[in-house]
Amino acid sequence: MRGRGTFTDTNQPLEPPSEFIIKVQDINDNPPQFNEGPYKGSVPEISQVGTSVTRVTATDADDPVYGNSARLVYSILEGQPYFSIDQTTAVIRVALAGMDREMREEYLVVIQAKDMGGHMGGLSGTTTVTVTLTDINDNPPKFTKGSYEFTIPEDLGIGKPGGRVKANDRDIGENAKSTYSIIGGDERDIFEIVTDAQSQEGILRLKKPLDFESKKSYNLTVVATNIRADSITGGPYMDQAMVKVIVEDADEPPVFTKSTYLFDVHENAAINTVIGAVAARDQDTTHSQVRYFIDRHTDLERQFNINVDDGKITLAKRLDRETDMWHNITVTATEVRNHSQISRVTVAIKVLDINDNAPEFANEYEAFLCENGKPGQVIQTISAVDKDNPSQGHTFHYRLEMLNNPNFTIKNNLDNSISVLAKHDSFRRQKQDTYLLPIIVTDNGEPPMSSTNTLTIRVCGCSREGIVQSCNVEAFVLPIGLSMGALIAILACIILLLVIMVLFVTLRRHKNEPLIIKDDEDVRENIIRYDDEGGGEEDTEAFDIATLQNPDGINGYLPRKDIKPDLQFMPRQGQHSGPNGVDVDEFINVRLHEADNDPTAPPYDSIQIYGYEGRGSIAGSLSSLETASSDSDQNYDYLREWGPRFRRLGELYSVGESDKET
């Protein structure tokens, strides 16, 4: 702070400037404040004394240096005797042992902070702390009842619930979850108990089917055990209860004495032979009689029958092991008293083999024999097959039907096969090109079965190395010194000459044939179209009427060559018309008269179409397209004078003119 005085006249300072420092002394005028309150804290239940819960903090705006204005001391106003607080650090701790969450879960603690070191005259501030006790597993599960009783029908399905038990736990969350188990009374391992995750109930289910006839009740010991163990209290906790299960009798289907049946029968067994028998029994207290049937869906051929009363299976049709070795059928057993109670069993029938098939060649053999081969050369190796299947295996015996065959012999290879050998080297195709060798094959069954199989042997030409080159009949022509290629060339030349001769004769005959009627010029078989329009009778430039005449028969009659006439029609003299004076009406009438009276003329039609109307016709254009106006002053009476063919046209035009005048 500075102060200064001056003279009035001179405005000069009375004395030099001075400086003063003023220090403001703090007083305790601000109370402590909990800026982060209210507070929340938690501690496990049954915690030991002194266990820390949480810490609070208060601030004071006064000067902490001067005096005790900012020196704080903490204390508990509410919450004793459960909790305590450190006066200096403000740490809240457990003050009472054995606090149980199940008794009281939440506590409200009021904390005070006072300045001036807690002495009288100091200011104070308060806050609240909500302390929650967290759960630990300190309570065991407890069944609602000491014993349970359930009645379960014996036909209850596997996995179906038969009853429910419940063990309650005062804990919460994971500490309250329990698992159930059976520790006694289930020696047959028929039951199981599982936990329902939603309701925490134990569900009693079947692992195996019940049987009232064998056991009517069970006394089970069931235990409920906590899933989680706690490190403070130990554990896990558990509780047990007794569960009595009463089995209720139900009408069950008959039960077969075996789960499957296996029978065997020889394939030559006679009809109605008993193959075996099945048996089923109604185990209910009523002991109903049972009837047996074969499911025909498994025996479509109706190969077997069964006696409905005693279950004996008999043969209905002859068997063949080579067709079906096994037959699997289903037999049903039905209660007489209740037809809905049906049980099924599989019956497997094995067909036993007998020696009823003769052996035969394994393949359709065709052997080749070289002309230049040596005696003893192997022509073919032969093996046999047999559809039968003897237990000791197959053994085949071979022999030639002709014991002293002059050409061939056989050798046993000791492996159920033989080799066919040639006896000499004088085989020639010119003499015989094919040999049929019957061989008898016999098996070792009881009784033995045999068959005769024929081996076809062809004589062929071979190279020096014994490779077959040709087995054709060329052996008959090759000795004259010609090769096969030369013979093919000669044959091709002969065929070519024959073709040329046939063509020459055909053309010659066609050339000598008289062409009296030219098909291309026969206008009776053609339709001629023109793009020009005719000009009427006076138009002689657009079309020549001579086109309608046959050029070859204009001066006389030429007979038709496509038919043979029975009557001869006298030819007429051709009428010559001038180039500019053709009478079309007369010409057409003459041709029509000749066609009608000629018995040799077929009914040919000729169509002539003219698309051009000539110029200079007194009729003018018949088209309305070129009419200059709709009103025409032309007189069409002259059309009536043209003859009967134009009379109708003249009437049409005359009527049109009269209509216009009207």
Side-chain angles (χ1 to χ4, degrees), residues 636-656:
Y636 295 99
D637 293 338
Y638 65 87
L639 293 176
R640 301 177 182 178
E641 299 175 357
W642 284 12
R645 294 182 181 277
F646 294 92
R647 184 176 298 128
R648 179 58 180 167
L649 183 61
E651 291 175 357
L652 292 174
Y653 275 85
S654 297
V655 173

Side-chain angles (χ1 to χ4, degrees), residues 190-296:
I190 294 177
F191 301 95
E192 66 177 354
I193 188 166
V194 295
T195 304
D196 188 330
Q198 299 295 330
S199 63
Q200 287 297 305
E201 292 179 315
I203 304 174
L204 187 65
R205 302 190 309 189
L206 293 181
K207 293 171 59 179
K208 297 178 181 179
L210 294 172
D211 186 11
F212 173 82
E213 289 71 26
S214 61
K215 192 169 184 178
K216 297 178 176 56
S217 64
Y218 296 86
N219 293 312
L220 308 178
T221 302
V222 178
V223 174
T225 306
N226 281 143
I227 297 176
R228 174 180 291 183
D230 196 280
S231 59
I232 298 177
T233 60
Y237 295 105
M238 63 178 61
D239 191 21
Q240 70 179 29
M242 298 300 298
V243 177
K244 184 176 182 179
V245 177
I246 299 175
V247 181
E248 183 181 38
D249 188 21
D251 191 7
E252 297 176 297
V255 178
F256 282 96
T257 57
K258 296 181 181 179
S259 58
T260 59
Y261 290 86
L262 176 62
F263 303 124
D264 54 57
V265 59
H266 285 90
E267 60 179 325
N268 63 341
I271 303 298
N272 295 325
T273 299
V274 177
I275 300 173
V278 298
R281 179 175 176 270
D282 181 17
Q283 297 184 349
D284 298 326
T285 55
T286 57
H287 297 297
S288 173
Q289 292 183 348
V290 177
R291 294 290 182 265
Y292 302 94
F293 303 94
I294 293 178
D295 186 352
R296 292 303 177 183

Side-chain angles (χ1 to χ4, degrees), residues 550-586:
N550 189 341
D552 296 330
I554 190 170
N555 294 324
Y557 171 78
L558 290 178
R560 296 297 301 266
K561 56 173 290 192
D562 54 351
I563 61 174
K564 181 178 182 181
D566 296 332
L567 299 175
Q568 293 294 332
F569 184 72
M570 296 303 295
R572 64 173 178 81
Q573 295 294 328
Q575 297 181 0
H576 299 278
S577 299
N580 297 324
V582 178
D583 189 348
V584 177
D585 185 39
E586 181 181 358

